[in-house]
């Protein structure tokens, strides 16, 4: 699937993303080659992991706590560097990036965490818009993107609420909106349903699938077997830092 990923009602952004996509001929968007991560204290995060993810894929990464799921995502967004091997995302060799080039990479990735990581004294709209302010988007452009993004996660009626006024499921949908307002081609979600009940988990999953259908490449870590079974998407499993392909 190679559809451009953009919020509804956003034709200009669609073109921009489409032309970016056009510069990358390879269908592979993420590639890990012989990746080992050993932390300074000697803990092993990953061991000789090889993985290819195609543009437009939706992939679950499962495995018990401590298996290396977060490590895998951190290597993808450059929060950790591999001890050995290469982590490639689009044209970036992630482990070798620093400074401005690392910031550029991060604009290509939306990230969702289990604990939402919202700014408590900012409204829903401000939380979502913050990432665009930080990237120097104009006020007009931010306004143009805000409403379609809020609608996409079903929170247009909560735009002026503060995080503490929202349920856990709603907070997670704010964090999803924040992750996607910059229309990144890659969306990484680290245990996004870890704090949610089954209904809210399903809702978050539906939104992730919708974003995937709009063209985003999505990687979701989870230890929620039910969620994985319900979604009928490809799965890889991590155990003790080893990756097992299951599709
Ligand atoms: P998961 O997300 O599957 O629970 P993690 O990727 O968080 O697993 O952790 C994999 C292994 O790496 C665990 O043994 C964990 O203790 C270790 N680890 C993770 N982060 C660090 C860190 N910053 N320093 C040292 N060890 C770490």
């Amino acid at each position: 699937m190679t559809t451009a990923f953009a919020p509804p009602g956003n034709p200009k952004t669609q073109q921009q993303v489409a032309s970016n996509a056009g510069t990358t001929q390879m269908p592979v968007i993420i590639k890990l080659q012989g990746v080992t991560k050993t932390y300074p204290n000697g803990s092993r995060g990953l061991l000789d992991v090889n993985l290819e993810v195609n543009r437009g894929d939706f992939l679950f990464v499962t495995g018990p706590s401590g298996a290396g799921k977060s490590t895998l995502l951190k290597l993808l967004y450059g929060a950790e560097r591999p001890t050995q091997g290469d982590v490639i995302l689009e044209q970036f060799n992630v482990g070798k990036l620093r400074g401005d080039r690392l910031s550029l990479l991060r604009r290509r990735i939306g990230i969702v965490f289990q604990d939402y990581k919202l700014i408590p004294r900012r409204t829903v709209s401000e939380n979502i818009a913050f990432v665009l302010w930080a990237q120097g988007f104009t006020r007009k452009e931010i306004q143009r993107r805000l409403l379609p993004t809020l609608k996409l996660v079903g929170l247009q009626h909560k735009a002026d609420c503060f995080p503490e006024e929202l349920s856990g499921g709603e907070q997670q949908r704010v964090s999803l909106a924040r992750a996607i307002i910059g229309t990144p081609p890659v969306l990484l979600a680290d245990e996004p349903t870890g704090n949610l009940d089954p209904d809210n988990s399903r809702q978050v999953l539906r939104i992730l699938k919708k974003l995937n259908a709009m063209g985003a490449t999505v990687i979701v870590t989870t230890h929620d077997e039910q969620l994985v079974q319900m979604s009928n998407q490809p799965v890889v499993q991590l155990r003790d830092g080893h990756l097992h392909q299951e599709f």
Side-chain angles (χ1 to χ4, degrees):
M1 175 176 311
T2 54
T3 330
F5 167 50
N10 200 349
K12 191 168 163 202
T13 312
Q14 263 174 350
Q15 271 171 12
Q16 285 165 349
V17 177
S19 70
N20 286 343
T23 58
T24 310
Q25 298 300 316
M26 290 273 288
V28 174
I29 189 167
I30 288 169
K31 194 168 186 173
L32 275 76
Q33 289 174 309
V35 173
T36 292
K37 172 67 188 177
T38 309
Y39 287 97
N41 68 357
S43 292
R44 189 171 72 201
L46 294 180
L47 186 66
D48 194 21
V49 166
N50 294 289
L51 176 69
E52 282 191 3
V53 179
N54 285 339
R55 198 174 280 279
D57 279 356
F58 187 122
L59 180 68
F60 273 116
V61 180
T62 63
S65 181
K69 304 183 295 298
S70 295
T71 300
L72 176 64
L73 296 195
K74 283 178 185 165
L75 289 168
L76 287 173
Y77 62 84
E80 294 288 351
R81 291 174 200 281
T83 313
Q84 264 174 40
D86 289 312
V87 177
I88 312 291
L89 192 147
E90 292 192 310
Q91 73 274 31
F92 298 100
N93 188 334
V94 181
K96 298 202 170 7
L97 298 179
R98 284 182 172 69
D100 287 351
R101 288 181 57 78
L102 190 54
S103 306
L104 272 180
L105 164 86
R106 294 209 172 126
R107 290 182 193 191
R108 308 289 294 159
I109 304 173
I111 307 171
V112 176
F113 299 97
Q114 175 173 356
D115 59 358
Y116 326 132
K117 297 199 192 303
L118 302 178
I119 308 169
R121 291 182 185 201
R122 299 285 181 180
T123 65
V124 165
S125 288
E126 288 167 345
N127 264 281
I128 297 170
F130 186 78
V131 60
L132 296 186
W133 284 332
Q135 289 177 21
F137 278 68
T138 63
R139 234 176 126 96
K140 200 171 158 199
E141 177 63 13
I142 293 171
Q143 283 309 319
R144 198 173 67 79
R145 290 181 179 220
L146 202 51
L147 187 60
T149 307
L150 279 164
K151 280 188 178 161
L152 194 63
V153 299
L155 286 177
Q156 59 275 32
H157 56 300
K158 300 279 184 181
D160 299 323
C161 292
F162 290 90
E164 66 179 13
E165 298 172 312
L166 304 179
S167 71
E170 288 168 338
Q171 289 188 53
Q172 189 55 297
R173 285 188 276 140
V174 176
S175 96
L176 266 168
R178 179 186 55 191
I180 60 169
I181 194 163
T183 57
V186 175
L187 183 59
L188 306 176
D190 199 0
E191 294 277 359
T193 62
N195 290 340
L196 303 181
D197 60 34
D199 275 355
N200 278 301
S201 298
R202 272 194 291 275
Q203 200 167 12
V204 164
L205 181 63
R206 264 201 303 277
I207 295 168
L208 288 169
K209 281 182 145 182
K210 201 190 304 182
L211 296 167
N212 177 242
M214 292 167 73
T217 304
V218 179
I219 301 184
V220 182
T221 71
T222 185
H223 59 257
D224 184 344
E225 286 298 332
Q226 265 196 325
L227 193 76
V228 174
Q229 280 165 14
M230 202 165 58
S231 75
N232 200 26
Q233 299 288 343
V235 185
V236 294
Q237 196 181 53
L238 276 168
R239 264 178 271 143
D240 271 338
H242 295 272
L243 189 81
H244 303 266
Q245 306 265 348
E246 294 186 358
F247 61 97

